[in-house]
Amino acid sequence: MLCFMSAKRSDLKLLGGWFSPFVTRVKIALNIKGLEYENIEEDLNSKSDLLLRSNPVHKKIPVLIHGDKPICESSIILQYIDEVWSNGPSILPQDAYDRAIATFWVSYIDDKLFVCMWNILMAFEDEEERKPHFEQLEEEVLVTLEVAFNKCSEGKPFFGGNDVGFIDIALGSFLPFLYVLEKMNGKKVLTVDKFPELENWTTNFIANSVVIETLPEIDDKLVLFCKAFRRKWVTAKAAAK
Amino acid sequence: MADEVVLLDFWPSPFGMRVRIALAEKGIDYEGREEDLSNKSPLLLKMNPVNKQIPVLIHKGRPISESLIIVQYIDEAWSNNKSPLLPSDPYQRANARFWADYIDKKIYSTGRLVWGTTGEVQEKAKEELRESFRVLEKELAEKTYFGGDMFGLVDVALIPFYSWFYTLETTANFSITEEFPRLVSWAKRCMQRDSVSNSVPDQYKIYDFLLDLKKKMHSIE
């Protein structure tokens, strides 16, 4: 029987934001499966009723709405997409053990890499405060991910093998944010000398057909957005004290 | 065979409890090894070099870390078993994962603050914990378990923290039983399952352990 993925208009809405790495993850996953969707741009300063209704617990993007069912949290959304559209190319590995390993690394990326980069952004104005977070990024987190890449890729271009997979999406979605931090701090971190495999991987990732047009441009608009986001967050935190 | 499955564990750990419960639900034979967290074994450091934490499940020599990842792995690797821990419908699975993730984000770190701090910091943490319990009670509603009739991932994720209730109530001077009766009924229901009662230590034992831990922490200062 001939099976093919048609990009038919499935009832999909993505509540998202151009700047959000977590939203980017969902866009890449939908591209992998060849799915059409309605992209709804949220203003985080004025969240829509739809967003508040669809994610009442966290009130965050991304939310994927399939028919009338909302699914929240980017890794959970990716697993959902993979399970529903199981006929398309896989996002997660087929084998249970490999799946557990992939989920472990995505968890690591969210718990360690993201938190580290967040801390660097928040300490933007204070070099002394930034230093230990940069050290952690360069000497611990990226080193660990370089080793992970070698293990997972087994000589192939992506963590997922020949194709972009779960770990690639989770890590790759943070690249624009990483480049912004490098720009803002005047310091390149993901260098080919220290991280040859990861650096090579970034080139392959960004050029991949499912990724093109999902990542925000690394330009002044994104840098300004990050600075404004940081200012707002720091002000809100100070006000809460 | 018991030597195919090894669990590196620490008896008071709620994360370790989750894995014990999952293994018991599936009727899986395993070798449980108690770790001394102040003197971690070479095996633990080898099997979880990234986080160096328990629990670690070692299945046929291959390690899996992170309690919820282990529980889902157990469900998938022993999937022809009659006790599924996750539903088969993708949307219900996403929902189960969402609530397990909520519990991971909200209960442990806030609970630790309630236990470990005093004054304003403790009061704020107490309020946050109350809010989380409120949200969880709302989600539970009139159901037997979080997943409905089936004991599953969300129940496994949350029930270990029942062993903390006495400690939290005593330390922060509030009654979880009075404020969240539905949650406590659910917990008692879960504790009636052998898999749970054999995996989750008695609340007073945990209280003594945590009291001891506090004394040790203060004597270091």
Side-chain angles (χ1 to χ4, degrees):
Chain A
M1 185 179 153
L2 188 70
C3 256
F4 61 93
M5 271 311 299
S6 61
K8 54 184 191 290
R9 192 109 182 88
S10 36
D11 205 353
L12 286 170
K13 289 184 178 65
L14 174 61
L15 306 184
W18 63 273
F19 47 84
S20 164
F22 303 102
V23 172
T24 300
R25 291 173 175 186
V26 181
K27 290 179 179 170
I28 296 171
L30 292 166
N31 285 349
I32 289 174
K33 302 289 190 181
L35 295 166
E36 280 183 28
Y37 60 97
E38 185 191 346
N39 187 44
I40 298 174
E41 203 63 18
E42 283 286 332
D43 173 4
L44 295 189
N45 295 317
S46 170
K47 293 175 181 178
S48 71
D49 281 337
L50 182 59
L51 174 57
L52 298 176
R53 267 199 328 268
S54 307
N55 191 358
V57 175
H58 298 306
K59 305 176 176 56
K60 284 184 178 170
I61 52 162
V63 179
L64 183 72
I65 305 177
H66 184 200
D68 57 355
K69 297 179 292 203
I71 304 104
C72 310
E73 296 299 306
S74 63
S75 349
I76 295 175
I77 295 172
L78 261 56
Q79 290 177 77
Y80 176 80
I81 290 170
D82 207 32
E83 288 172 14
V84 173
W85 288 276
S86 53
N87 286 337
S90 294
I91 295 171
L92 278 92
Q94 306 283 22
D95 172 73
Y97 184 75
D98 293 337
R99 226 177 359 258
I101 297 302
T103 313
F104 172 85
W105 286 115
V106 170
S107 212
Y108 179 84
I109 288 162
D110 281 349
D111 294 340
K112 296 277 157 66
L113 178 67
F114 175 61
V115 171
C116 205
M117 296 202 303
W118 177 271
N119 288 334
I120 293 171
L121 178 65
M122 290 302 141
F124 171 60
E125 311 218 311
D126 186 337
E127 196 178 342
E128 274 314 297
E129 217 193 307
R130 270 199 326 266
K131 217 164 146 216
H133 301 304
F134 256 117
E135 272 168 20
Q136 193 190 13
L137 180 63
E138 278 182 296
E139 285 156 40
E140 186 194 307
V141 180
L142 290 176
V143 169
T144 304
L145 289 171
E146 175 92 357
V147 172
F149 178 78
N150 279 320
K151 272 209 186 125
C152 296
S153 64
E154 294 180 333
K156 298 192 182 128
F158 299 107
F159 283 89
N162 286 317
D163 299 306
V164 165
F166 198 37
I167 308 173
D168 303 285
I169 299 172
L171 183 57
S173 59
F174 283 133
L175 286 173
F177 185 18
L178 182 65
Y179 294 149
V180 164
L181 290 182
E182 286 178 338
K183 236 182 173 188
M184 280 165 73
N185 290 283
K187 183 182 162 54
K188 189 142 172 57
V189 167
L190 195 51
T191 58
V192 70
D193 300 324
K194 274 189 120 173
F195 309 106
E197 303 286 343
L198 279 181
E199 215 273 338
N200 188 47
W201 166 84
T202 65
T203 313
N204 289 329
F205 179 81
I206 293 170
N208 194 274
S209 57
V210 299
V211 174
I212 287 171
E213 288 181 19
T214 62
L215 299 174
E217 295 287 326
I218 326 297
D219 56 14
D220 290 340
K221 183 180 173 198
L222 188 60
V223 175
L224 284 172
F225 177 88
C226 288
K227 286 185 177 174
F229 186 88
R230 183 199 156 267
R231 252 196 318 272
K232 192 172 155 240
W233 190 271
V234 168
T235 313
K237 227 184 143 190
K241 281 195 181 154
Chain B
M1 285 188 295
D3 55 4
E4 278 198 348
V5 185
V6 176
L7 175 63
L8 305 183
D9 201 357
F10 180 52
W11 72 268
S13 161
F15 307 104
M17 289 175 214
R18 289 169 170 178
V19 181
R20 282 172 236 160
I21 295 169
L23 289 166
E25 282 286 318
K26 297 285 198 177
I28 298 165
D29 267 335
Y30 68 98
E31 183 198 339
R33 290 197 204 172
E34 197 66 11
E35 282 285 332
D36 173 0
L37 297 185
S38 61
N39 185 20
K40 293 175 182 176
S41 72
L43 183 63
L44 173 57
L45 299 176
K46 183 175 163 209
M47 292 289 151
N48 190 358
V50 176
N51 295 324
K52 305 176 176 60
Q53 278 169 3
I54 59 96
V56 180
L57 189 77
I58 309 171
H59 185 203
K60 296 183 187 171
R62 298 193 300 182
I64 305 107
S65 311
E66 299 297 305
S67 61
L68 293 180
I69 295 178
I70 299 172
V71 171
Q72 290 184 74
Y73 171 78
I74 288 169
D75 199 44
E76 291 172 18
W78 284 270
S79 65
N80 50 1
N81 189 280
K82 53 180 164 25
S83 339
L85 292 169
L86 273 102
S88 49
D89 172 70
Y91 182 68
Q92 286 179 35
R93 290 163 75 83
N95 201 41
R97 287 175 176 139
F98 175 86
W99 287 106
D101 176 67
Y102 178 87
I103 290 158
D104 255 6
K105 283 182 163 92
K106 300 283 182 179
I107 305 299
Y108 178 71
S109 50
T110 314
R112 269 204 75 172
L113 281 176
V114 171
W115 169 73
T117 63
T118 53
E120 249 185 70
V121 180
Q122 189 190 47
E123 278 308 304
K124 187 161 173 263
K126 202 163 111 184
E127 259 326 294
E128 274 184 42
L129 190 63
R130 275 185 168 127
E131 179 56 25
S132 301
F133 284 156
R134 249 173 246 138
V135 170
L136 286 168
E137 265 207 339
K138 190 172 167 208
E139 173 57 25
L140 177 66
E142 302 299 326
K143 296 179 287 187
T144 311
Y145 299 113
F146 278 90
D149 292 327
M150 194 180 91
F151 178 80
L153 182 69
V154 183
D155 308 285
V156 174
L158 186 59
I159 192 59
F161 296 107
Y162 177 65
S163 64
W164 280 20
F165 280 14
Y166 178 72
T167 306
L168 292 170
E169 288 174 321
T170 314
T171 316
N173 193 29
F174 73 124
S175 172
I176 300 175
T177 314
E178 272 175 33
E179 292 185 38
F180 305 101
R182 235 190 257 159
L183 203 59
V184 174
S185 303
W186 160 83
K188 290 185 172 159
R189 220 163 21 244
C190 291
M191 292 297 290
Q192 283 174 1
R193 299 176 81 87
D194 284 342
S195 64
V196 178
S197 60
N198 290 334
S199 307
V200 177
D202 171 82
Q203 292 189 58
Y204 304 108
K205 213 176 161 198
I206 293 289
Y207 176 77
D208 286 339
F209 167 78
L210 289 173
L211 194 61
D212 243 6
L213 185 63
K214 228 182 212 174
K215 284 183 189 154
K216 280 191 193 128
M217 281 165 63
H218 288 159
S219 69
I220 291 168
E221 282 163 18

